Amino acid sequence: MHISTALLPLALIAALVANGAAAEATAVSPVEKSTVSLPAITVSKVTRLPMNDVVAASGLIGAVEQVLVQPQIEGQAIDAIEVEIGDTVAAGQVLARLSDTSLTLQKSQLLASLASANATIAQAEAQLIEAKTAADEAVRVKNRTLALTAAGTTSKSAADTATANATSTLARVTVATQGLVAAQAQLTLVDAQVANIDLSLKRTLVTAPVAGEVVERNAMVGAIASGGGQPMFMIVRGGLLELRADVAEQDILKLQAGQKASLSVVGLAETLTGTVWLVEPTVDATTRLGRVRISIDESDRVRSGMFADARILVQSREALAVPVSAVGGSGSETRALKVSGDSVKATMITTGIRDGGLIEVMSGLAEGDLIVTKAGAFVRDGDHINPIMADAAKMSN
């Protein structure tokens, strides 16, 4: 018999609806109900990947070696400047010319003194020859007189006179010899003075001691050259530039000469390359930073004073890697949450290289193991989860 629901009491209709809902609830199995209630947690697989241990550093670009050019003589006016900032110069190239007028006059005076010294020497030599000739004759007369005196044909006074004359002429030889020595010494002195003037004249040409690029010029035409003020020029030896980068104290011991680096320079789209050539042996006591010097392969593309970031490659190898977020704790208590089925277990691990968002696992996990991607966020040791692979999670998002 068909009964219209319109004729049924409201209480009876409510009872029928409740019975239907109860029957539907009993149709869901306990297993399905348990699965739905477990939290969905992203997990990652332990994978072997190439890992790079990179140390970050930053600093300013400067010259590998700066050479200061000072005048080697003072008191002379600057007559001409031969180079400008930015010029590339060769070793020995003239940079500036100093006035040589006073030095030229001094040399003229010394050349006159030189001629006088040569004339004095010639006169002394002639006097020496004359004195030697007279001395030789006086000695012969003395010897003959002494022989005649011994034979009794000449008086004793004649022998004494001849002996005195011989002694006197020999003394004049000694005097003439010393005069010649003094004249020669005077000539040597004047020669040295002339050589000194020649050197000063040569130094009126201010030359580049090394090849390189002129980066500073303080010399001005008309100024008086002086070694006590600012350098006339500054040259970057060979035009070579380097990055003087500051490095965190905990990383400085990883670095050594020969390691390669990539450089990001402000204002330059491309990345430059370089090589560590010096790790300074001290750490700043205030900033706790060390310093490393990196030669730049294409230094002509940068300028001194520019800022740059460096990434220095310490070592590279294939290793087991997991996301950094999957690792919790610190020091000897580093751990990850390993997933087995739907259960989570805290596992102690040893970590190594950190490369971007990945970190090396040296022990505690094996390749292919599943771990909670974000350890400690919502999961604890012993929890049950509904694991979702990280790649699948990305695709669902």
Side-chain angles (χ1 to χ4, degrees):
M1 180 178 61
H2 176 71
I3 301 175
S4 174
T5 57
L7 302 177
L8 293 177
L10 293 176
L12 181 57
I13 293 174
L16 291 173
V17 172
N19 289 335
E24 184 178 353
T26 56
V28 179
S29 68
V31 175
E32 292 174 342
K33 183 177 181 179
S34 174
T35 302
V36 171
S37 63
L38 292 179
I41 300 297
T42 303
V43 297
S44 300
K45 184 179 292 186
V46 180
T47 310
R48 188 172 295 278
L49 297 170
M51 299 286 289
N52 297 320
D53 189 5
V54 176
V55 171
S58 61
L60 297 178
I61 294 172
V64 174
E65 183 181 356
Q66 291 182 333
V67 179
L68 305 181
V69 181
Q70 294 279 29
Q72 294 181 297
I73 59 172
E74 295 191 353
Q76 306 300 321
I78 300 174
D79 278 352
I81 303 295
E82 302 293 341
V83 296
E84 291 295 338
I85 294 175
D87 289 350
T88 300
V89 297
Q93 181 176 334
V94 176
L95 307 179
R97 299 178 187 274
L98 306 182
S99 174
D100 61 357
T101 304
S102 62
L103 294 173
T104 301
L105 290 175
Q106 292 179 35
K107 183 175 181 179
S108 298
Q109 294 173 351
L110 289 173
L111 289 176
S113 298
L114 185 64
S116 176
N118 283 320
T120 302
I121 289 176
Q123 185 178 5
E125 288 175 343
Q127 291 175 350
L128 179 59
I129 293 172
E130 182 182 357
K132 284 183 176 179
T133 303
D136 290 343
E137 179 61 24
V139 169
R140 284 195 296 272
V141 171
K142 170 191 168 183
N143 292 335
R144 285 198 304 269
T145 303
L146 290 177
L148 293 173
T149 302
T153 60
T154 303
S155 65
K156 180 70 168 57
S157 61
D160 292 340
T161 301
T163 301
N165 288 336
T167 302
S168 176
T169 54
L170 288 173
R172 285 198 295 271
V173 169
T174 302
V175 172
T177 301
Q178 294 301 319
L180 178 59
V181 171
Q184 290 172 337
Q186 182 64 27
L187 178 62
T188 302
L189 175 61
V190 176
D191 279 337
Q193 291 173 336
V194 171
N196 184 58
I197 287 294
D198 285 338
L199 179 60
S200 296
L201 285 169
K202 182 179 179 182
R203 287 176 173 176
T204 59
L205 300 178
V206 180
T207 58
V210 297
E213 182 180 5
V214 179
V215 296
E216 184 176 322
R217 191 205 95 177
N218 298 309
M220 298 179 64
V221 174
I224 302 301
S226 173
Q230 290 182 318
M232 295 180 67
F233 302 92
M234 182 182 294
I235 298 175
V236 173
R237 189 186 192 110
L240 300 177
L241 300 177
E242 66 177 0
L243 174 62
R244 299 171 185 174
D246 294 325
V247 182
E249 181 180 12
Q250 63 268 23
D251 293 329
I252 194 67
L253 295 179
K254 296 180 181 180
L255 303 180
Q256 59 184 359
Q259 292 171 339
K260 298 298 181 180
S262 59
L263 311 178
S264 299
V265 182
V266 174
L268 191 64
E270 301 86 356
T271 299
L272 300 180
T273 57
T275 305
V276 175
W277 73 271
L278 175 64
V279 180
E280 295 189 3
T282 59
V283 172
D284 190 280
T286 303
T287 63
R288 310 310 307 166
L289 296 174
R291 174 162 289 185
V292 60
R293 297 190 177 188
I294 303 171
S295 61
I296 303 173
D297 293 337
E298 298 177 87
S299 58
D300 58 330
R301 301 185 62 187
V302 295
R303 296 293 181 270
S304 180
M306 297 180 76
F307 181 85
D309 290 311
R311 289 175 57 82
I312 305 168
L313 180 61
V314 176
Q315 57 179 320
S316 180
R317 62 172 178 263
E318 276 202 356
L320 297 180
V322 298
V324 173
S325 60
V327 178
S330 60
S332 60
E333 299 297 325
T334 305
R335 65 183 180 85
L337 297 176
K338 183 177 178 181
V339 179
S340 298
D342 65 352
S343 63
V344 174
K345 178 178 176 57
T347 302
M348 304 305 297
I349 64 173
T350 303
T351 59
I353 297 174
R354 178 168 177 170
D355 186 359
L358 299 174
I359 190 168
E360 177 188 9
V361 177
M362 302 180 71
S363 65
L365 294 173
E367 186 174 0
D369 286 348
L370 294 180
I371 57 169
V372 176
T373 303
K374 293 187 177 180
F378 306 102
V379 185
R380 294 176 297 177
D381 185 24
D383 285 353
H384 292 271
I385 64 171
N386 178 21
I388 298 178
M389 289 299 297
D391 292 340
K394 290 179 182 178
M395 291 177 62
S396 64
N397 290 337

